[in-house]
Amino acid sequence: MRIVIMGAGALGGYFGARLAAAGSDVAFIARGPHLAAIRADGLRVHSALGDLHLRDVTATDNAATLAPADVVIIAVKLWDIEAAAEAAKPLVRQGTAVISFQNGVTKDEVLTRILGRAAVVGGVGAIGAVIESPGLIRHTGTMAKLTFGELDNRRTPRVEAFKDACASAGIDVEIASDINLAIWQKFVLLVPMAACTASMRSVIGPIRANPRTRAFLADVMAEVVAVGRALGIGLGENTVAERMAFIDTLPPEMTASMQGDLARGRRLELPWFSGAVVELGRRTGVPTPLNRAVADILELYINGV
């Protein structure tokens, strides 16, 4: 199977390396020192699930130099999604699956507008990983799962084939019965985690332990659930309670990537998190005052410092 990874960062680098090691024909789109290191010494993964060092790696910063693909994985930061979709056009032929494993709930709208609905497959990625140094992906813990599915939830040959490729690579993989619900279930968890750890400058442990900050976390989440339901997403009545119970199982030192980006002075994905909740709330008539507060508080840092 020919697979192109648009964005060979933490998620794209990890899963792309697993697929390549198992025999899939994988090419990586990267840039800067990370690309230079991959070209010079290959791509390395350090993980409790097994280390990898791929020495013979196809890596480029120009997708137009590559042949069309069976699967294109979009794994860039959300502010680069339009540029990535435009760059992916030469890779897309009839039957190509373009799967975004980015966060957020508006990503597939962008891909559909630029590449056409027929090309787009919905996706959810779950992994704790970082680029530890150029050419090296560090995977923390053992969670590393890909969930995907056609936007109309049909079981098509292309999603079955990609599932088989992932399974052959030892990846925890699932074809979702309702991919839009799966995307929103992650969003319901991600938005309050990002909103609270970033705005409160704290890991999750103290936030969930303090009654007032815990209530704020739950109320931010409730706004996300309300917006999702208004859009017709089948989020159950117990969604907040279930997601809060899950948060209680997380390591106390866990944080959201947006909090890490804020601490390092990097650009924030805020417009696609709480900002998106506010915008979708406007469209559906659902009040979102807490997400608006978070978006307004962090606005000064949105482009990094």
Side-chain angles (χ1 to χ4, degrees):
M1 187 168 227
R2 180 157 182 76
I3 300 165
V4 175
I5 311 292
M6 296 286 296
L11 182 148
Y14 175 85
F15 288 111
R18 292 289 181 207
L19 288 160
S24 289
D25 180 2
V26 181
F28 297 88
I29 310 294
R31 58 191 178 190
H34 191 48
L35 173 60
I38 293 172
R39 283 174 165 170
D41 191 40
L43 179 61
R44 292 175 293 155
V45 172
H46 286 179
S47 169
L49 299 179
D51 294 344
L52 291 174
H53 187 178
L54 305 178
R55 289 178 171 82
D56 185 15
V57 179
T58 300
T60 180
D61 57 2
N62 184 3
T65 64
L66 301 173
D70 299 307
V71 175
V72 178
I73 292 176
I74 306 292
V76 300
K77 286 287 192 178
L78 283 161
W79 54 76
D80 280 335
I81 186 171
E82 293 201 13
E86 291 288 349
K89 284 181 177 179
L91 303 172
V92 178
R93 62 189 174 196
Q94 185 174 1
T96 297
V98 180
I99 313 175
S100 165
F101 289 110
Q102 301 162 292
N103 295 315
V105 295
T106 59
K107 57 197 175 82
D108 293 331
E109 295 177 14
V110 177
L111 295 178
T112 296
R113 171 168 51 81
I114 295 173
L115 298 172
R117 182 180 173 86
V120 181
V121 171
V124 178
I127 188 170
V130 296
I131 300 177
E132 184 168 272
S133 61
L136 172 61
I137 308 298
R138 172 74 65 178
H139 176 212
T140 302
T142 58
M143 179 180 66
K145 182 175 182 178
L146 295 179
T147 302
F148 49 86
E150 299 284 358
L151 298 181
D152 61 5
N153 296 318
R154 290 178 300 124
R155 300 278 295 223
T156 59
R158 66 180 181 178
V159 297
E160 295 283 4
F162 186 50
K163 178 191 175 185
D164 290 345
C166 290
S168 295
I171 295 169
D172 185 5
V173 62
E174 178 183 2
I175 298 176
S177 58
D178 184 341
I179 189 58
N180 288 316
L181 177 59
I183 289 169
W184 270 88
Q185 286 172 330
K186 181 177 181 181
F187 194 60
V188 164
L189 180 67
L190 176 68
V191 169
M193 283 284 293
C196 291
T197 59
S199 65
M200 298 176 191
R201 273 69 167 179
S202 174
V203 295
I204 194 60
I207 294 171
R208 70 189 182 198
N210 180 286
R212 292 183 67 176
T213 54
R214 182 184 182 89
F216 188 90
L217 175 71
D219 289 345
V220 169
M221 186 185 295
E223 289 182 0
V224 184
V225 172
V227 169
R229 286 183 183 149
L231 290 168
I233 307 299
L235 296 165
E237 293 294 328
N238 296 324
T239 297
V240 173
E242 291 169 355
R243 295 290 83 190
M244 289 297 293
F246 176 77
I247 287 174
D248 285 335
T249 69
L250 298 175
E253 66 275 11
M254 183 167 282
T255 188
S257 61
M258 194 168 79
Q259 191 271 339
D261 290 338
L262 178 68
R264 294 171 180 85
R266 297 172 180 166
R267 190 173 177 181
L268 306 182
E269 290 184 305
L270 183 66
W272 295 271
F273 293 0
S274 285
V277 175
V278 173
E279 176 56 32
L280 293 172
R282 288 195 190 105
R283 292 187 202 174
T284 56
V286 175
T288 56
L290 298 187
N291 278 281
R292 182 193 166 188
V294 169
D296 290 351
I297 289 166
L298 295 176
E299 173 68 20
L300 292 178
Y301 311 98
I302 198 168
N303 291 316
V305 294

